[in-house]
Structures are given as C-alpha cells and as structure tokens.
Short mmCIF file of all heavy atoms in Angstrom, two decimals:
data_model
loop_
_atom_site.label_atom_id
_atom_site.label_comp_id
_atom_site.label_asym_id
_atom_site.label_seq_id
_atom_site.Cartn_x
_atom_site.Cartn_y
_atom_site.Cartn_z
N MET A 1 0.82 -1.14 -0.08
CA MET A 1 0.00 -0.04 0.06
C MET A 1 0.95 1.21 0.07
O MET A 1 1.96 1.29 0.70
CB MET A 1 -0.92 0.07 1.25
CG MET A 1 -2.17 -0.89 1.13
SD MET A 1 -3.24 -0.44 -0.19
CE MET A 1 -4.01 1.04 0.76
N SER A 2 0.29 2.31 -0.71
CA SER A 2 1.19 3.49 -0.83
C SER A 2 0.25 4.79 -0.55
O SER A 2 -0.89 4.75 -1.11
CB SER A 2 1.81 3.56 -2.18
OG SER A 2 2.60 4.77 -2.27
N GLU A 3 0.77 5.43 0.44
CA GLU A 3 -0.06 6.76 0.77
C GLU A 3 0.69 7.96 -0.11
O GLU A 3 1.85 7.90 -0.23
CB GLU A 3 0.01 7.08 2.15
CG GLU A 3 -0.31 5.94 3.09
CD GLU A 3 -1.79 5.80 3.09
OE1 GLU A 3 -2.61 6.74 2.83
OE2 GLU A 3 -2.28 4.61 3.45
N SER A 4 -0.11 8.88 -0.57
CA SER A 4 0.46 10.02 -1.18
C SER A 4 -0.18 11.31 -0.71
O SER A 4 -1.39 11.36 -0.56
CB SER A 4 0.14 10.01 -2.73
OG SER A 4 0.77 10.98 -3.44
N THR A 5 0.57 12.13 -0.22
CA THR A 5 0.10 13.36 0.39
C THR A 5 0.94 14.63 -0.14
O THR A 5 2.15 14.50 -0.26
CB THR A 5 0.24 13.44 1.89
OG1 THR A 5 -0.30 12.21 2.42
CG2 THR A 5 -0.40 14.61 2.65
N THR A 6 0.17 15.55 -0.43
CA THR A 6 0.91 16.82 -1.04
C THR A 6 0.86 17.91 0.07
O THR A 6 -0.26 18.34 0.53
CB THR A 6 0.22 17.30 -2.31
OG1 THR A 6 0.50 16.31 -3.32
CG2 THR A 6 1.10 18.55 -2.77
N TYR A 7 1.91 18.45 0.37
CA TYR A 7 2.16 19.50 1.29
C TYR A 7 2.60 20.77 0.56
O TYR A 7 3.17 20.76 -0.44
CB TYR A 7 3.24 19.24 2.36
CG TYR A 7 2.99 17.98 3.12
CD1 TYR A 7 3.49 16.71 2.66
CD2 TYR A 7 2.12 17.85 4.47
CE1 TYR A 7 3.26 15.46 3.32
CE2 TYR A 7 1.95 16.68 5.04
CZ TYR A 7 2.49 15.45 4.56
OH TYR A 7 2.15 14.30 5.14
N THR A 8 2.53 21.95 1.32
CA THR A 8 3.12 23.12 0.64
C THR A 8 4.21 23.68 1.49
O THR A 8 4.16 23.83 2.76
CB THR A 8 1.92 24.18 0.52
OG1 THR A 8 0.86 23.79 -0.24
CG2 THR A 8 2.62 25.44 -0.15
N VAL A 9 5.25 24.00 0.91
CA VAL A 9 6.48 24.40 1.75
C VAL A 9 6.87 25.72 1.05
O VAL A 9 7.02 25.98 -0.15
CB VAL A 9 7.63 23.45 1.44
CG1 VAL A 9 8.96 24.01 1.95
CG2 VAL A 9 7.48 22.08 2.07
N THR A 10 7.13 26.73 1.97
CA THR A 10 7.62 28.02 1.57
C THR A 10 9.04 28.14 1.84
O THR A 10 9.74 27.39 2.61
CB THR A 10 6.94 29.06 2.31
OG1 THR A 10 7.06 28.94 3.78
CG2 THR A 10 5.51 29.16 2.06
N GLY A 11 9.76 28.98 1.10
CA GLY A 11 11.13 29.45 1.20
C GLY A 11 12.02 28.83 0.25
O GLY A 11 13.23 29.17 0.35
N MET A 12 11.67 27.78 -0.44
CA MET A 12 12.48 27.16 -1.37
C MET A 12 12.82 28.10 -2.75
O MET A 12 11.69 28.40 -3.30
CB MET A 12 12.06 25.87 -1.80
CG MET A 12 11.95 24.75 -0.74
SD MET A 12 11.34 23.16 -1.42
CE MET A 12 9.82 23.61 -1.98
N THR A 13 14.05 28.38 -3.15
CA THR A 13 14.11 29.28 -4.11
C THR A 13 14.98 28.72 -5.27
O THR A 13 15.19 29.19 -6.37
CB THR A 13 14.71 30.63 -3.69
OG1 THR A 13 15.81 30.49 -2.94
CG2 THR A 13 13.75 31.34 -2.92
N CYS A 14 15.68 27.58 -5.08
CA CYS A 14 16.63 27.02 -5.97
C CYS A 14 16.73 25.59 -5.92
O CYS A 14 16.15 24.89 -5.10
CB CYS A 14 18.01 27.59 -5.87
SG CYS A 14 18.91 26.96 -4.53
N GLY A 15 17.40 25.00 -6.95
CA GLY A 15 17.56 23.45 -7.05
C GLY A 15 18.14 22.88 -5.79
O GLY A 15 17.86 21.71 -5.36
N HIS A 16 19.05 23.64 -5.20
CA HIS A 16 19.62 23.11 -3.98
C HIS A 16 18.63 23.00 -2.81
O HIS A 16 18.71 21.99 -1.98
CB HIS A 16 20.82 23.89 -3.41
CG HIS A 16 22.04 23.88 -4.62
ND1 HIS A 16 22.35 24.99 -5.37
CD2 HIS A 16 22.83 22.78 -5.00
CE1 HIS A 16 23.23 24.64 -6.09
NE2 HIS A 16 23.55 23.44 -6.00
N CYS A 17 17.84 24.01 -2.67
CA CYS A 17 16.79 24.03 -1.68
C CYS A 17 15.93 22.71 -1.88
O CYS A 17 15.59 21.99 -0.88
CB CYS A 17 15.89 25.18 -1.79
SG CYS A 17 16.75 26.82 -1.76
N VAL A 18 15.51 22.44 -3.11
CA VAL A 18 14.69 21.26 -3.44
C VAL A 18 15.42 20.12 -2.96
O VAL A 18 14.84 19.26 -2.40
CB VAL A 18 14.51 21.25 -4.83
CG1 VAL A 18 13.76 19.91 -5.43
CG2 VAL A 18 13.53 22.49 -5.33
N GLN A 19 16.76 19.93 -3.22
CA GLN A 19 17.46 18.69 -2.93
C GLN A 19 17.51 18.51 -1.36
O GLN A 19 17.34 17.40 -0.99
CB GLN A 19 18.90 18.84 -3.50
CG GLN A 19 19.54 17.39 -3.45
CD GLN A 19 18.82 16.29 -4.10
OE1 GLN A 19 18.22 16.49 -5.28
NE2 GLN A 19 18.60 15.22 -3.45
N SER A 20 17.64 19.63 -0.64
CA SER A 20 17.70 19.57 0.83
C SER A 20 16.44 18.99 1.44
O SER A 20 16.40 18.17 2.22
CB SER A 20 18.01 20.88 1.36
OG SER A 20 19.22 21.39 1.06
N VAL A 21 15.30 19.46 0.83
CA VAL A 21 14.01 19.01 1.26
C VAL A 21 13.70 17.59 0.94
O VAL A 21 13.38 16.77 1.75
CB VAL A 21 12.91 19.89 0.71
CG1 VAL A 21 11.56 19.29 0.91
CG2 VAL A 21 12.86 21.37 1.30
N ARG A 22 14.15 17.19 -0.18
CA ARG A 22 14.06 15.83 -0.74
C ARG A 22 14.82 14.98 0.09
O ARG A 22 14.48 13.86 0.61
CB ARG A 22 14.38 15.75 -2.18
CG ARG A 22 13.54 16.41 -3.16
CD ARG A 22 13.86 15.92 -4.53
NE ARG A 22 13.34 14.67 -4.92
CZ ARG A 22 14.03 13.69 -5.41
NH1 ARG A 22 15.29 13.84 -5.88
NH2 ARG A 22 13.38 12.51 -5.65
N ASP A 23 16.06 15.31 0.49
CA ASP A 23 16.89 14.44 1.29
C ASP A 23 16.35 14.29 2.74
O ASP A 23 16.26 13.18 3.24
CB ASP A 23 18.33 15.16 1.40
CG ASP A 23 19.20 14.95 0.21
OD1 ASP A 23 18.80 14.38 -0.65
OD2 ASP A 23 20.23 15.79 0.12
N GLU A 24 15.94 15.47 3.30
CA GLU A 24 15.41 15.34 4.73
C GLU A 24 14.11 14.50 4.84
O GLU A 24 13.92 13.73 5.74
CB GLU A 24 15.32 16.71 5.38
CG GLU A 24 16.62 17.34 5.71
CD GLU A 24 17.42 16.67 6.68
OE1 GLU A 24 16.89 15.82 7.55
OE2 GLU A 24 18.66 16.85 6.68
N VAL A 25 13.19 14.75 3.84
CA VAL A 25 11.98 14.25 3.98
C VAL A 25 11.93 12.70 3.54
O VAL A 25 11.52 11.77 4.13
CB VAL A 25 10.83 14.95 3.13
CG1 VAL A 25 9.56 14.14 3.01
CG2 VAL A 25 10.53 16.37 3.60
N GLY A 26 13.00 12.42 2.60
CA GLY A 26 13.21 11.03 2.21
C GLY A 26 13.75 10.23 3.39
O GLY A 26 13.80 8.99 3.22
N ARG A 27 14.33 10.84 4.35
CA ARG A 27 14.97 10.10 5.56
C ARG A 27 13.83 9.65 6.40
O ARG A 27 14.06 8.63 7.31
CB ARG A 27 15.68 11.06 6.33
CG ARG A 27 17.18 10.84 5.97
CD ARG A 27 18.09 11.70 7.04
NE ARG A 27 19.40 11.80 6.19
CZ ARG A 27 19.82 12.80 5.66
NH1 ARG A 27 19.21 13.98 5.95
NH2 ARG A 27 20.98 12.84 4.94
N ILE A 28 12.52 10.07 6.29
CA ILE A 28 11.52 9.63 7.20
C ILE A 28 11.19 8.18 6.95
O ILE A 28 11.08 7.83 5.92
CB ILE A 28 10.20 10.49 7.02
CG1 ILE A 28 10.56 11.96 7.29
CG2 ILE A 28 9.04 10.05 7.89
CD1 ILE A 28 9.37 12.93 6.99
N ASP A 29 10.99 7.41 8.09
CA ASP A 29 10.76 6.08 7.84
C ASP A 29 9.49 5.79 7.07
O ASP A 29 8.42 6.33 7.21
CB ASP A 29 10.53 5.38 9.25
CG ASP A 29 10.27 3.91 9.23
OD1 ASP A 29 11.05 3.26 8.67
OD2 ASP A 29 9.23 3.49 9.77
N GLY A 30 9.59 5.01 6.02
CA GLY A 30 8.53 4.64 5.21
C GLY A 30 8.32 5.33 4.08
O GLY A 30 7.54 5.12 3.05
N VAL A 31 9.08 6.43 3.85
CA VAL A 31 8.91 7.31 2.70
C VAL A 31 9.67 6.66 1.44
O VAL A 31 10.79 6.24 1.56
CB VAL A 31 9.54 8.74 2.89
CG1 VAL A 31 9.63 9.49 1.56
CG2 VAL A 31 8.71 9.49 3.88
N THR A 32 8.90 6.61 0.27
CA THR A 32 9.41 5.91 -0.93
C THR A 32 9.66 6.88 -2.01
O THR A 32 10.41 6.57 -2.91
CB THR A 32 8.50 4.88 -1.32
OG1 THR A 32 7.15 5.45 -1.61
CG2 THR A 32 8.30 3.71 -0.33
N SER A 33 9.02 8.10 -1.92
CA SER A 33 9.25 9.03 -3.00
C SER A 33 8.86 10.51 -2.45
O SER A 33 7.93 10.71 -1.71
CB SER A 33 8.27 8.60 -4.20
OG SER A 33 8.20 9.76 -5.10
N VAL A 34 9.71 11.42 -2.90
CA VAL A 34 9.47 12.81 -2.55
C VAL A 34 9.57 13.70 -3.86
O VAL A 34 10.60 13.73 -4.52
CB VAL A 34 10.42 13.42 -1.57
CG1 VAL A 34 10.16 14.75 -1.18
CG2 VAL A 34 10.61 12.47 -0.29
N LYS A 35 8.53 14.37 -4.22
CA LYS A 35 8.59 15.19 -5.46
C LYS A 35 8.36 16.62 -5.08
O LYS A 35 7.46 16.82 -4.40
CB LYS A 35 7.46 14.65 -6.46
CG LYS A 35 7.76 13.30 -6.96
CD LYS A 35 7.06 12.92 -8.37
CE LYS A 35 7.46 11.72 -8.86
NZ LYS A 35 6.64 10.57 -8.40
N VAL A 36 9.17 17.42 -5.58
CA VAL A 36 8.96 18.82 -5.31
C VAL A 36 8.81 19.63 -6.66
O VAL A 36 9.56 19.52 -7.51
CB VAL A 36 10.26 19.32 -4.54
CG1 VAL A 36 10.17 20.83 -4.23
CG2 VAL A 36 10.61 18.55 -3.27
N ASP A 37 7.81 20.54 -6.47
CA ASP A 37 7.58 21.53 -7.61
C ASP A 37 8.17 22.79 -7.06
O ASP A 37 7.33 23.48 -6.18
CB ASP A 37 6.17 21.46 -7.96
CG ASP A 37 5.90 22.30 -9.20
OD1 ASP A 37 6.48 22.15 -10.29
OD2 ASP A 37 5.16 23.56 -8.94
N LEU A 38 9.14 23.28 -7.47
CA LEU A 38 9.81 24.47 -7.01
C LEU A 38 8.85 25.84 -7.16
O LEU A 38 8.74 26.51 -6.22
CB LEU A 38 11.09 24.74 -7.75
CG LEU A 38 11.92 26.00 -7.16
CD1 LEU A 38 12.23 25.93 -5.75
CD2 LEU A 38 13.33 25.98 -7.92
N PRO A 39 8.23 26.00 -8.22
CA PRO A 39 7.47 27.10 -8.46
C PRO A 39 6.31 27.28 -7.45
O PRO A 39 5.98 28.56 -6.99
CB PRO A 39 6.92 27.19 -9.88
CG PRO A 39 7.92 26.23 -10.66
CD PRO A 39 8.38 25.19 -9.55
N THR A 40 5.67 26.20 -7.25
CA THR A 40 4.56 26.14 -6.29
C THR A 40 4.80 25.84 -4.89
O THR A 40 4.04 26.10 -3.96
CB THR A 40 3.50 25.29 -6.88
OG1 THR A 40 3.83 23.98 -6.84
CG2 THR A 40 2.98 25.68 -8.32
N GLY A 41 5.88 25.24 -4.61
CA GLY A 41 6.28 24.76 -3.36
C GLY A 41 5.53 23.51 -2.80
O GLY A 41 5.59 23.05 -1.77
N ALA A 42 4.84 22.84 -3.92
CA ALA A 42 4.15 21.59 -3.68
C ALA A 42 5.12 20.37 -3.47
O ALA A 42 5.96 20.26 -4.20
CB ALA A 42 3.23 21.37 -4.79
N VAL A 43 4.93 19.73 -2.32
CA VAL A 43 5.82 18.62 -2.13
C VAL A 43 4.99 17.43 -1.75
O VAL A 43 4.13 17.31 -0.92
CB VAL A 43 6.58 18.82 -0.74
CG1 VAL A 43 7.58 17.63 -0.34
CG2 VAL A 43 7.60 20.05 -0.90
N THR A 44 5.12 16.46 -2.86
CA THR A 44 4.33 15.23 -2.78
C THR A 44 5.12 14.10 -2.24
O THR A 44 6.28 13.80 -2.86
CB THR A 44 3.78 15.06 -4.24
OG1 THR A 44 2.96 16.11 -4.58
CG2 THR A 44 2.88 13.66 -4.16
N VAL A 45 4.59 13.50 -1.15
CA VAL A 45 5.40 12.56 -0.42
C VAL A 45 4.63 11.18 -0.57
O VAL A 45 3.34 11.17 -0.28
CB VAL A 45 5.54 12.85 1.05
CG1 VAL A 45 6.36 11.72 1.76
CG2 VAL A 45 6.25 14.22 1.15
N GLU A 46 5.24 10.09 -1.05
CA GLU A 46 4.65 8.81 -1.12
C GLU A 46 5.22 7.97 -0.01
O GLU A 46 6.50 8.09 0.37
CB GLU A 46 4.87 8.21 -2.52
CG GLU A 46 3.93 8.83 -3.59
CD GLU A 46 4.15 8.15 -4.92
OE1 GLU A 46 4.57 6.95 -5.00
OE2 GLU A 46 3.87 8.91 -5.99
N SER A 47 4.46 7.23 0.65
CA SER A 47 5.00 6.37 1.82
C SER A 47 4.21 5.23 2.03
O SER A 47 3.10 5.15 1.58
CB SER A 47 4.95 7.35 3.10
OG SER A 47 3.63 7.66 3.29
N THR A 48 4.74 4.21 2.68
CA THR A 48 4.16 2.98 3.07
C THR A 48 3.28 2.95 4.27
O THR A 48 2.76 1.99 4.63
CB THR A 48 5.27 1.82 3.09
OG1 THR A 48 6.14 2.25 4.16
CG2 THR A 48 5.95 1.72 1.87
N ARG A 49 3.19 4.09 4.88
CA ARG A 49 2.42 4.22 6.02
C ARG A 49 1.83 5.76 6.12
O ARG A 49 2.44 6.59 5.44
CB ARG A 49 3.18 3.91 7.31
CG ARG A 49 4.30 4.87 7.60
CD ARG A 49 5.09 4.47 8.90
NE ARG A 49 6.22 5.51 9.04
CZ ARG A 49 6.13 6.63 9.78
NH1 ARG A 49 4.99 6.99 10.32
NH2 ARG A 49 7.13 7.36 9.81
N ASP A 50 0.85 5.86 7.06
CA ASP A 50 0.39 7.31 7.20
C ASP A 50 1.45 8.03 7.82
O ASP A 50 2.03 7.57 8.99
CB ASP A 50 -0.87 7.23 8.07
CG ASP A 50 -2.02 7.15 7.21
OD1 ASP A 50 -2.15 7.82 6.08
OD2 ASP A 50 -3.09 6.66 7.56
N LEU A 51 1.78 9.23 7.49
CA LEU A 51 2.87 10.02 8.06
C LEU A 51 2.07 11.04 8.96
O LEU A 51 1.03 11.57 8.52
CB LEU A 51 3.56 10.76 7.01
CG LEU A 51 4.39 10.04 6.09
CD1 LEU A 51 5.21 10.88 5.07
CD2 LEU A 51 5.36 9.07 6.86
N ALA A 52 2.64 11.46 10.12
CA ALA A 52 2.08 12.39 10.98
C ALA A 52 2.62 13.80 10.35
O ALA A 52 3.76 13.86 9.86
CB ALA A 52 2.54 12.38 12.38
N GLU A 53 1.78 14.78 10.17
CA GLU A 53 2.18 16.09 9.63
C GLU A 53 3.36 16.62 10.43
O GLU A 53 4.28 17.20 9.74
CB GLU A 53 1.10 17.07 9.51
CG GLU A 53 1.51 18.36 8.89
CD GLU A 53 0.35 19.37 8.71
OE1 GLU A 53 -0.57 18.94 7.94
OE2 GLU A 53 0.48 20.37 9.21
N ALA A 54 3.30 16.36 11.64
CA ALA A 54 4.40 16.91 12.52
C ALA A 54 5.82 16.36 12.11
O ALA A 54 6.76 17.13 12.23
CB ALA A 54 4.14 16.59 13.95
N GLU A 55 5.83 15.17 11.65
CA GLU A 55 7.20 14.68 11.38
C GLU A 55 7.64 15.11 9.91
O GLU A 55 8.85 15.27 9.81
CB GLU A 55 7.14 12.99 11.40
CG GLU A 55 6.29 12.24 10.61
CD GLU A 55 6.21 10.78 10.87
OE1 GLU A 55 7.28 10.22 11.33
OE2 GLU A 55 5.11 10.10 10.65
N VAL A 56 6.74 15.42 9.13
CA VAL A 56 7.08 15.95 7.78
C VAL A 56 7.45 17.46 8.05
O VAL A 56 8.46 17.88 7.54
CB VAL A 56 5.93 15.98 6.82
CG1 VAL A 56 6.24 16.53 5.49
CG2 VAL A 56 5.56 14.32 6.66
N ARG A 57 6.77 18.10 8.89
CA ARG A 57 7.04 19.56 9.20
C ARG A 57 8.45 19.60 9.85
O ARG A 57 9.28 20.38 9.52
CB ARG A 57 6.03 20.01 10.24
CG ARG A 57 6.37 21.52 10.79
CD ARG A 57 5.25 21.87 11.71
NE ARG A 57 3.87 21.90 11.03
CZ ARG A 57 3.51 22.90 10.33
NH1 ARG A 57 4.15 23.91 10.01
NH2 ARG A 57 2.24 22.80 9.62
N ALA A 58 8.82 18.59 10.78
CA ALA A 58 10.05 18.66 11.41
C ALA A 58 11.17 18.38 10.38
O ALA A 58 12.36 18.99 10.39
CB ALA A 58 10.23 17.54 12.46
N ALA A 59 10.98 17.50 9.52
CA ALA A 59 12.02 17.24 8.41
C ALA A 59 12.21 18.39 7.50
O ALA A 59 13.39 18.76 7.20
CB ALA A 59 11.64 16.02 7.46
N VAL A 60 11.15 18.99 7.13
CA VAL A 60 11.11 20.22 6.33
C VAL A 60 11.89 21.38 7.13
O VAL A 60 12.78 22.09 6.41
CB VAL A 60 9.79 20.66 5.89
CG1 VAL A 60 9.83 22.16 5.22
CG2 VAL A 60 9.20 19.73 4.73
N ALA A 61 11.60 21.53 8.45
CA ALA A 61 12.43 22.54 9.14
C ALA A 61 13.80 22.09 9.30
O ALA A 61 14.60 23.13 9.32
CB ALA A 61 11.76 22.53 10.58
N GLU A 62 14.11 20.90 9.34
CA GLU A 62 15.52 20.55 9.49
C GLU A 62 16.29 20.95 8.21
O GLU A 62 17.54 21.37 8.15
CB GLU A 62 15.61 18.87 9.57
CG GLU A 62 16.97 18.39 9.85
CD GLU A 62 17.66 18.75 11.25
OE1 GLU A 62 16.83 19.11 12.14
OE2 GLU A 62 18.79 19.03 11.37
N ALA A 63 15.59 20.92 7.10
CA ALA A 63 16.22 21.29 5.72
C ALA A 63 16.24 22.90 5.78
O ALA A 63 17.03 23.48 4.92
CB ALA A 63 15.30 20.84 4.67
N GLY A 64 15.56 23.57 6.59
CA GLY A 64 15.61 25.01 6.62
C GLY A 64 14.34 25.82 6.12
O GLY A 64 14.41 26.97 5.82
N TYR A 65 13.30 25.06 5.96
CA TYR A 65 12.15 25.63 5.30
C TYR A 65 10.87 25.32 6.13
O TYR A 65 10.90 24.70 7.23
CB TYR A 65 11.84 24.97 3.79
CG TYR A 65 13.20 25.20 3.06
CD1 TYR A 65 14.14 24.22 2.97
CD2 TYR A 65 13.51 26.44 2.61
CE1 TYR A 65 15.37 24.41 2.39
CE2 TYR A 65 14.76 26.56 1.91
CZ TYR A 65 15.63 25.62 1.85
OH TYR A 65 16.92 25.79 1.23
N GLU A 66 9.73 25.86 5.74
CA GLU A 66 8.51 25.82 6.52
C GLU A 66 7.41 25.13 5.82
O GLU A 66 7.10 25.48 4.57
CB GLU A 66 8.18 27.04 7.10
CG GLU A 66 7.02 27.16 8.16
CD GLU A 66 6.68 28.40 8.55
OE1 GLU A 66 7.18 29.42 8.16
OE2 GLU A 66 5.73 28.46 9.45
N LEU A 67 6.64 24.23 6.44
CA LEU A 67 5.54 23.61 5.91
C LEU A 67 4.28 24.52 6.31
O LEU A 67 4.07 25.06 7.36
CB LEU A 67 5.25 22.37 6.69
CG LEU A 67 4.39 21.32 5.94
CD1 LEU A 67 5.40 20.73 4.88
CD2 LEU A 67 4.07 20.15 6.88
N THR A 68 3.55 24.90 5.19
CA THR A 68 2.42 25.85 5.53
C THR A 68 1.03 25.20 5.49
O THR A 68 0.17 25.79 6.00
CB THR A 68 2.42 27.03 4.57
OG1 THR A 68 2.25 26.47 3.22
CG2 THR A 68 3.78 27.84 4.42
N ALA A 69 0.98 24.10 4.78
CA ALA A 69 -0.32 23.46 4.76
C ALA A 69 -0.13 21.99 4.52
O ALA A 69 0.92 21.47 4.03
CB ALA A 69 -1.18 24.00 3.58
MO1 9UX B 101 20.84 28.70 -3.23
MO2 9UX B 101 18.58 27.45 -2.23
O1 9UX B 101 21.82 29.74 -1.93
O2 9UX B 101 18.62 27.57 -0.41
S1 9UX B 101 20.51 26.74 -1.98
S2 9UX B 101 18.65 29.63 -2.74
#
C-alpha cells in the first residue's frame, strides 16, 4: 500500500533547496518518493504508512524551510 500526500513548503528558491527538502523528507521512515515542484512549493510524499504532519514538518524545518499546509 502506498499513501500520497501533498504539502506546501515556503522558502525554497533554487534547486539546492529542493534537494535539501528531498533528502530530509526522504529520511522519514516509510517514505518511498518525494517530489518537489519549485514554483509552487508543492511537495508530494509517497509512503508505505500514514505520516504524521508533525514529522514531515520537522524534516522540512531541518532542511531550513517551513510547511504551510
Ligand atoms: Mo541557493 Mo537554495 O543559496 O537555499 S541553496 S537559494
């Protein structure tokens, strides 16, 4: 089973920002795919289990950005 959730992240302005977010969110247990759309800040996370928004928020914060929705 695969869950897919799209979050909105603010503050990313370049490809390195995107890579940081992908790396940190990709470290969360069960995450199988992280897709980031830089212009809109949409971050789509696929995982094998339900993720708590708090853990995604923490990973995004670790990368230096903020989850807004
Ligand atoms: Mo370039 Mo992205 O300094 O934070 S890595 S804008």
Side-chain angles (χ1 to χ4, degrees):
M1 282 293 284
S2 181
E3 310 283 336
S4 180
T5 309
T6 300
Y7 305 90
T8 303
V9 172
T10 54
M12 297 182 294
T13 53
C14 78
H16 297 107
C17 305
V18 169
Q19 194 56 49
S20 299
V21 169
R22 295 190 75 228
D23 286 348
E24 289 296 339
V25 176
R27 264 187 198 106
I28 298 171
D29 181 57
V31 170
T32 53
S33 162
V34 184
K35 295 199 172 87
V36 179
D37 184 63
L38 182 56
T40 62
V43 176
T44 300
V45 182
E46 286 180 26
S47 57
T48 56
R49 65 181 179 90
D50 267 324
L51 301 177
E53 185 175 297
E55 59 189 329
V56 178
R57 178 178 299 278
V60 167
E62 188 65 33
Y65 308 97
E66 190 179 0
L67 207 69
T68 59

